[in-house]
Amino acid sequence: MCGVFGYVGTEANVGATIISALKTLEYRGYDSWGLAISTGDDLLVDKETGRINGQSREYPRSRTGIGHTRWATHGGVTPANAHPHLDRGSRIAVVHNGIIENHAALKDELQRRGHEFASETDSEVVAHLVSERLASGDTLPVAVGQVFDRLEGYNAIVVLDREEEQFAAAKTVSPLVIGTGREASTIASDAVALRGHADRLIYLEDGQLAVASAEGVVVFDRATMREVEPFSVPMGQVADDIARGDFPDFMSKEIAEQPATLRRLVDEARHECAALARAIASARRVLLIGCGTAANAALAGTYLFNDICGCEVTAVPASEFRYRSRYLDAETLVIAISQSGETLDVLEAMAEARRRGSRLAAIVNTANSSLDRMVDTRVHLRSGVEQCVLATKSYTAMLATLLMTAYELRGEGDAGAALVRRAADAMEAMTERGIARQAQAIGYRIAASQHLFAVGRGIHYPSALEAALKIKEVSYVHAEGFASGELKHGVIALIEPGTPCLVFAPDDVTRTDIISGATELRSRGGHIIGVGSQSDSIFDDFIEVPDVGEATVIAESLPGQLLGYFAAIARGNDPDRPRNLAKSVTVK
Ligand code: G6P
């Protein structure tokens, strides 16, 4: 869950280039950062804890360097544990993403041979192992390939060699993308960091090894060390607007983008939804998997397929998938939902499904991500880069995709597309009516509370889960979502006078029962925040969400997003970078 970046080329101010790339990668980890720049006869290293504020720093002129943003796994958050890690002679510098599962044994072995360690990380072993191989006469590619083969677990490493002015890189599962261009060869954990430097992108595969110098990039098969023709795409495909513009943060920008991203999805992805519907129709069993917000979207999908086409679909959190996968077969379709397409639990689940002969599909935002490359059928969410750690616009696009696919399956694709457009209009109307002001007032109240409970029934149950997730992960107020019918079975014991209760009460079959559940919450003193198209006398606060039929589930995501946002602001939290979280969870 770290971000790596490497540059070798003609740019003389590589320090500033690295800093700017690391800022783009900071969503992957932001507890510390570092860089190493080749100055010809030495490596200049700058490492710090906290967010990247090095924009005003002066670095020596250089054309080669690597950088890293860290999300600590092994070793505390200290400058020494920040990457890059160097060998004894400061010839090489290493950045790493992943967990080296056998690092203790490797470290032990190295210490017995006299190596001294400067950090508590698992990553540092790579620097010492590579330097030993270089000392014994190996070239950088051979040394890095051999050392990488000794690492257990899912890892991506980039090793900079100051003497040769080149870097070598290898990966297993953890992503690495190489940029090629006239001016430089670059590498990063995410293509987004290569903008402005690359004309084409090479997605490095497991089992390969890449070597980059100012002259270009060569990719080898690691087992044979024979050169291979890598899979590459033009950089243009990832050209999105990544600037924050006039918004104070990415979370508010990405929330505001939702009507536009939903419309883009309807305009561009209908044929992909239709293809996914055909894959569903030809399968005997369909599973939806995902993590975090995507797991909530998967659960919503089970209701959408049920409600729209009477079709049974099962949702499983990707991290639980392997414990209930024995019945998978060639007639099963597994659909993974993921913004990044790099979440490790999702990739592992899909690999397991493939081993069992199942068919694979994805609903994914990041084109060419690892998930995207492993499936037969895909819908791209087209939400643009989502930089805030919290998923917002990608969530509503996931819901819209599921809804449109269910309508395609029913043979009424136009009606599904029209509903998503209505959800986009509804979100715009809510914004115009001043939902932000209202959410700000309620968000401040939530910020002062210890707990919040969100309840819904039917398709609105996943909405309750997602609203609670949004609120807790960014405000740190304890928030839980429940199926309203479960209230009496325990949750109600936690309601005290003043406890905020977010009640999804739309104008559908769930309304009567949800109002009755809310009445019970209120009689225990709960402060009821109703969400729906019509108010009710038991609501203390009411957030209006227009009724747009089955697409209401999309529109009603907005209140939870905004309540979380304003509760975070009220508490002085950074909405884009909540504590302890990373956007892309590429470790277990
Ligand atoms: C992390 C993020 C969440 C996200 C989840 C799954 O936990 O903080 O916002 O929902 O990963 O990510 P994915 O990229 O697979 O959708």
Side-chain angles (χ1 to χ4, degrees):
M1 286 162 58
C2 303
V4 305
F5 179 75
Y7 180 102
V8 49
T10 54
E11 172 72 69
N13 192 2
V14 75
T17 302
I18 297 172
I19 291 286
S20 125
L22 291 185
K23 282 188 181 169
T24 328
L25 291 170
E26 221 182 5
Y27 73 86
R28 302 179 66 85
Y30 36 89
D31 55 34
S32 48
W33 62 275
L35 54 76
I37 291 169
S38 167
T39 56
D41 51 3
D42 204 359
L43 281 172
L44 176 134
V45 177
D46 190 13
K47 307 206 275 193
E48 269 190 27
T49 57
R51 301 284 298 273
I52 302 166
N53 289 311
Q55 58 272 56
S56 56
R57 220 162 282 195
E58 289 287 323
Y59 292 108
R61 291 172 74 78
S62 163
R63 300 181 147 78
T64 314
I66 55 176
H68 188 267
T69 63
R70 180 166 188 248
W71 189 86
T73 56
H74 289 67
V77 180
T78 64
N81 289 338
H83 300 211
H85 297 289
L86 272 50
D87 66 324
R88 251 186 300 205
S90 296
R91 171 176 170 184
I92 58 159
V94 174
V95 287
H96 167 228
N97 174 31
I99 294 174
I100 301 170
E101 288 171 4
N102 58 335
H103 75 276
L106 294 171
K107 184 169 180 177
D108 204 45
E109 174 192 315
L110 284 158
Q111 280 173 329
R112 273 187 273 115
R113 290 203 292 271
H115 290 267
E116 281 172 24
F117 280 72
S119 78
E120 302 156 320
T121 62
D122 52 340
S123 321
E124 194 184 339
V125 296
V126 176
H128 297 287
L129 287 169
V130 171
S131 79
E132 277 189 345
R133 298 224 62 97
L134 291 175
S136 71
D138 283 345
T139 61
L140 182 75
V142 169
V144 171
Q146 296 207 353
V147 168
F148 191 80
D149 286 341
R150 296 198 62 196
L151 310 182
E152 289 170 15
Y154 299 143
N155 296 291
I157 60 168
V158 181
V159 182
L160 171 71
D161 182 353
R162 165 177 61 78
E163 283 183 10
E164 301 292 331
E165 291 255 317
Q166 59 181 16
F167 60 75
K171 58 149 292 214
T172 301
V173 180
S174 299
L176 278 180
V177 192
I178 298 161
T180 58
R182 266 171 312 223
E183 286 168 13
S185 304
T186 43
I187 192 162
S189 305
D190 185 335
V192 83
L194 304 180
R195 282 157 206 269
H197 305 300
D199 300 326
R200 292 191 74 78
L201 300 174
I202 297 170
Y203 288 86
L204 197 64
E205 299 291 346
D206 295 358
Q208 295 181 334
L209 179 117
V211 184
S213 65
E215 282 76 54
V217 176
V218 184
V219 177
F220 300 94
D221 174 90
R222 236 175 30 244
T224 60
M225 283 310 275
R226 285 216 187 93
E227 206 177 316
V228 292
E229 192 59 44
F231 169 72
S232 86
V233 294
M235 180 69 190
Q237 291 185 9
V238 287
D240 283 300
D241 169 27
I242 56 161
R244 193 153 44 79
D246 293 336
F247 290 91
D249 40 56
F250 284 107
M251 185 168 176
S252 54
K253 173 179 186 255
E254 288 160 9
I255 289 174
E257 280 172 352
Q258 290 178 110
T261 51
L262 289 169
R263 289 185 187 118
R264 190 189 313 153
L265 183 76
V266 178
D267 289 343
E268 297 178 10
R270 277 225 18 219
H271 63 291
E272 294 176 0
C273 294
L276 182 58
R278 285 194 295 279
I280 292 171
S282 64
R284 196 161 57 88
R285 191 187 288 121
V286 179
L287 270 79
L288 290 170
I289 64 165
C291 292
T293 290
N296 290 337
L299 185 62
T302 66
Y303 289 93
L304 286 168
F305 280 97
N306 174 80
D307 296 353
I308 295 166
C309 42
C311 157
E312 189 195 356
V313 169
T314 308
V316 185
S319 56
E320 288 295 309
F321 181 81
R322 76 178 117 145
Y323 309 114
R324 45 187 292 194
S325 59
R326 280 185 61 189
Y327 59 85
L328 264 63
D329 57 20
E331 291 183 281
T332 306
L333 173 71
V334 183
I335 307 172
I337 308 179
S338 175
Q339 188 284 128
S340 62
E342 301 294 351
T343 302
L344 183 57
D345 283 325
V346 172
L347 298 181
E348 283 202 329
M350 292 302 263
E352 168 73 5
R354 186 164 53 191
R355 267 194 297 279
R356 293 186 178 272
S358 302
R359 300 171 220 170
L360 308 183
I363 295 174
V364 60
N365 194 35
T366 310
N368 295 311
S369 55
S370 302
L371 173 65
D372 193 29
R373 300 202 308 277
M374 77 194 287
V375 299
D376 316 309
T377 310
R378 59 188 60 72
V379 179
H380 286 151
L381 294 172
R382 297 167 165 83
S383 300
V385 179
E386 194 179 56
Q387 298 194 66
C388 173
V389 164
L390 280 81
T392 54
K393 59 178 178 172
S394 65
Y395 177 65
T396 43
M398 288 167 188
L399 296 178
T401 300
L402 292 161
L403 185 146
M404 289 201 294
T405 304
Y407 266 94
E408 292 287 351
L409 194 56
R410 196 163 96 173
E412 296 176 22
D414 287 348
L419 271 179
V420 174
R421 282 190 202 285
R422 284 181 63 199
D425 295 346
M427 287 175 111
E428 240 160 36
M430 288 153 78
T431 305
E432 278 157 21
R433 275 203 309 268
I435 187 178
R437 256 194 324 278
Q438 202 189 0
Q440 186 171 23
I442 305 172
Y444 273 54
R445 181 187 180 93
I446 293 172
S449 310
Q450 264 193 307
H451 309 282
L452 174 141
F453 297 98
V455 293
R457 279 178 173 262
I459 179 72
H460 313 288
Y461 163 43
S463 293
L465 292 177
E466 176 60 11
L469 179 60
K470 288 291 84 93
I471 291 167
K472 77 180 121 189
E473 64 183 337
V474 70
S475 72
Y476 318 145
V477 172
H478 170 234
E480 296 301 335
F482 293 95
S484 164
E486 287 296 298
L487 275 175
K488 294 189 191 59
H489 304 293
V491 190
I492 204 150
L494 300 168
I495 306 300
E496 291 173 352
T499 306
C501 301
L502 191 63
V503 175
F504 286 87
D507 193 16
D508 65 12
V509 289
T510 65
R511 172 93 179 178
T512 311
D513 288 342
I514 197 89
I515 295 288
S516 130
T519 311
E520 288 170 29
L521 291 171
R522 196 158 193 247
S523 20
R524 271 86 187 167
H527 178 91
I528 311 297
I529 307 156
V531 176
S533 59
Q534 289 174 48
S535 190
D536 190 279
S537 56
I538 63 150
F539 296 161
D540 296 291
D541 286 304
F542 172 58
I543 302 178
E544 188 180 342
V545 176
D547 178 4
V548 282
E550 285 123 350
T552 304
V553 68
I554 301 171
E556 73 188 7
S557 309
L558 188 57
Q561 296 170 348
L562 290 172
L563 291 175
Y565 176 77
F566 285 113
I569 297 293
R571 286 189 158 203
N573 302 347
D574 178 349
D576 289 341
R577 305 279 179 262
R579 69 184 182 203
N580 302 343
L581 296 176
K583 183 142 192 78
S584 191
V585 182
T586 56
V587 294
K588 276 200 204 176

